Amino acid sequence: MPSVRDLLARVRAEIKEVEPSEAEARRGDVLYLDVREADEYAQGALPGALHLPRGFLELQIEGLVPAKDHPIVIYCAGGVRSAFAAKSLEELGYRDVASMAGGFNRWKDEGRPWSVPRVLDADQRNRYQRHLLLPEVGEAGQRRLLDARVLLLGAGGLGSPAALYLAAAGVGTIGIVDMDVVDASNLQRQILHTLDRVGERKVDSAKAAIAALNPDVEVVTHHLRLGADNILEVLDGYDLVVDGTDNFPTRYLVNDASLVKRIPVVHGSIFRFEGQVTVFDPYNGPCYRCFVPEPPPPELAPSCAEAGVLGVLPGIIGSIEAVEALKILLGIGETLTGRLLSYDTLVQEVRTFTIRRDPDCPACSLDPSEIVIEEYDQLCMPHVSRTPARV
C-alpha cells in the first residue's frame, strides 16, 4: 500500500505547481482558492482569496466557480492539501488549475502581501450554518446580509413574517416604520406581537421579538407617520424597502421616494383570501404607478379591517417578500421585477403575470430630479418640479 508521501509525489507529478512569486505575478488574472480550515483562514489569507475548506471542495466548487476554464491557484498552509485539491479539480473538469508550492506559510515568509480577513465568529458560523452550506450564499453572502440595511414599512400582518425571517437570516440592520400600538385583534395574524405586549408601540414590540431571535440584528425604530416631510430622510441609508402598507396614499408616496432614492421596493398586498407580491426596481423595471396608475374608488378597495383577511395569508405573502429581499441582497436568482405573483388560498393557486414599464408613466418616465415628494392628492400624480427634489 503506497504511503502518503508516495501518493503526494504521484499527485505532484500529475498537476501543475507554481512558486509564490509566479502566483503573485498572476494576481488579478487568477482566482486564489484557499482550502485551509476556517480557523487557519481567520489568521490571515491572500487578498481577495475565495475560502473553501478542503472537505467541502467537491461539494461546493461548481456552485462557486461555474466557469471551468477560469484560472485557479490553490493554496493551503504548506502545499499538501492544495496539491490533492488541484488533482480533484482537474478530475472535475477544471482546465487551468495550479497548486502553490509551500502554501501560505511560504508566501508569508517571503514577505508577500496578506491580510486578516473579516470572518464570522464561532456563534455566527453555527447560527448560519445552513446558509454557509449553500454555494449561492456561503460566508461571503452571509457577510453581505450582516452588512445589509432593510427598511420594513409596517409591523403588521406582512411586516411580521418578513421581519422574523430577515432577522433570522442575519440581515444586520432592520428599520421598522409603524405608528400604531399592539391591539388584541392584531394577534390573529401579526405574529411579531404577543398578548403581554398589547398596548405597546408596535415598533417596540417588534424590536423585542427580533432581539429575542437574533442578537446580531440592530433594529431601528421609526414610530411615525410617513409623509412628504420625512420619507426621504427615513429611506436614507437603506438598501431595500419591504412594503407592508395597506393604503394607496402611502404606496404612491413610497413609490415616488424610492425613485428619487433609487431604492428597490419589495411590494406585498393582501385582501381577504388573496395576496400579491412583486418587486419595483427603480428604472430597471416598472414602478408602482406603472402597475396602478390611479387608485381605485374607496368602495372597491376596503381595508382588512373592513373586509377581513385569513390569518395565515399575510404570513405566506410576507414570507415571499422576505425571499425576494434576500435574493436582491445576495444578488441571486430571478426576482419578481416585472412580474406579479398572485396567490389564492381558496383554490391553492399561484399565478404570475407580467407587468410592463409604462413609457408614459407619470413617475418613472421622469428624471428623479423632477419628482416632487408631496402628500397624496386626488389624482395621486407627481408633479414636475422647477427645482430638484430634496435628496
Side-chain angles (χ1 to χ4, degrees):
M1 185 174 186
S3 67
V4 173
R5 180 176 295 182
D6 292 336
L7 286 174
L8 178 60
R10 185 184 305 170
V11 167
R12 280 179 167 159
E14 296 174 350
I15 65 166
K16 179 181 178 182
E17 275 194 311
V18 295
E19 296 295 313
S21 58
E22 184 181 348
E24 184 179 17
R26 299 182 67 185
R27 184 177 178 182
D29 298 325
V30 303
L31 169 68
Y32 294 138
L33 179 61
D34 188 323
V35 295
R36 296 174 299 162
E37 296 303 311
D39 58 338
E40 298 174 280
Y41 175 73
Q43 295 175 28
L46 274 63
L50 171 65
H51 178 230
L52 180 56
R54 178 66 187 87
F56 295 99
L57 183 69
E58 290 83 358
L59 180 65
Q60 297 187 8
I61 186 63
E62 290 177 309
L64 293 171
V65 188
K68 295 194 173 180
D69 58 351
H70 192 96
I72 301 173
V73 170
I74 310 175
Y75 71 91
C76 60
V80 176
R81 283 170 290 176
S82 62
F84 287 102
K87 179 64 175 175
S88 293
L89 289 195
E90 288 182 351
E91 292 173 348
L92 287 172
Y94 287 86
R95 295 182 285 275
D96 189 356
V97 180
S99 170
M100 189 170 75
F104 180 69
N105 292 340
R106 183 171 163 190
W107 174 284
K108 186 177 176 181
D109 290 343
E110 292 178 359
R112 304 187 189 281
W114 61 280
S115 60
V116 177
R118 180 186 168 208
V119 297
L120 304 179
D121 62 33
D123 288 340
Q124 290 173 326
R125 295 191 66 82
N126 185 49
R127 177 182 292 275
Y128 306 119
Q129 183 185 44
R130 299 304 189 274
H131 272 177
L132 303 183
L133 294 173
L134 296 172
E136 296 83 356
V137 183
E139 185 160 336
Q142 190 61 55
R143 290 197 302 268
R144 283 199 296 274
L145 292 180
L146 288 165
D147 290 339
R149 297 175 57 86
V150 173
L151 180 66
L152 296 179
L153 303 183
L158 296 175
S160 287
L164 290 173
Y165 274 113
L166 292 176
V171 172
T173 301
I174 297 179
I176 303 177
V177 179
D178 203 306
M179 61 174 295
D180 204 358
V181 298
V182 180
D183 185 82
S185 65
N186 302 146
L187 304 182
Q188 168 248 15
R189 64 205 174 280
Q190 298 181 18
I191 56 175
L192 266 175
H193 313 298
T194 56
L195 189 60
D196 63 337
R197 295 203 289 270
V198 168
E200 290 186 17
R201 302 192 312 180
K202 283 188 177 179
V203 292
D204 296 333
S205 174
K207 184 173 184 176
I210 291 173
L213 177 63
N214 190 348
D216 284 342
V217 181
E218 177 186 0
V219 177
V220 180
T221 59
H222 303 274
H223 183 69
L224 49 79
R225 174 190 176 276
L226 279 180
D229 61 332
N230 63 19
I231 189 167
L232 291 177
E233 181 180 356
V234 171
L235 265 61
D236 193 41
Y238 287 101
D239 304 309
L240 178 70
V241 173
V242 175
D243 181 11
T245 59
D246 62 357
N247 64 85
F248 286 98
T250 305
R251 290 171 184 165
Y252 285 114
L253 185 67
V254 170
N255 179 76
D256 297 346
S258 74
L259 292 171
V260 172
K261 289 288 190 179
R262 295 181 180 268
I263 299 175
V265 176
V266 180
H267 168 78
S269 60
I270 53 175
F271 179 71
R272 289 170 55 82
F273 301 99
E274 300 177 18
Q276 300 176 334
V277 184
T278 188
V279 172
F280 299 117
D281 187 0
Y283 307 105
N284 293 318
C287 75
Y288 186 73
R289 291 183 187 271
C290 297
F291 176 43
V292 186
E294 297 186 15
E299 63 271 14
L300 297 181
S303 68
C304 291
E306 299 167 314
V309 63
L310 186 67
V312 72
L313 173 63
I316 297 168
I317 300 301
S319 296
I320 296 174
E321 286 188 276
V323 169
E324 292 299 298
L326 293 174
K327 285 160 56 181
I328 294 170
L329 295 173
L330 292 167
I332 62 174
E334 181 179 350
T335 72
L336 286 172
T337 300
R339 296 182 296 148
L340 177 73
L341 184 149
S342 174
Y343 173 58
D344 185 337
T345 62
L346 291 182
V347 294
Q348 288 292 19
E349 182 177 69
V350 177
R351 303 177 66 187
T352 305
F353 304 92
T354 298
I355 309 174
R356 303 193 185 279
R357 188 173 176 187
D358 181 359
D360 299 317
C361 173
C364 69
S365 67
L366 303 177
D367 185 274
S369 64
E370 296 180 292
I371 298 176
V372 171
I373 304 301
E374 59 184 0
E375 297 294 343
Y376 177 84
D377 61 21
Q378 185 175 0
L379 295 179
C380 289
M381 298 292 183
H383 297 287
V384 177
S385 173
R386 296 180 181 176
T387 58
R390 174 171 57 86
V391 296

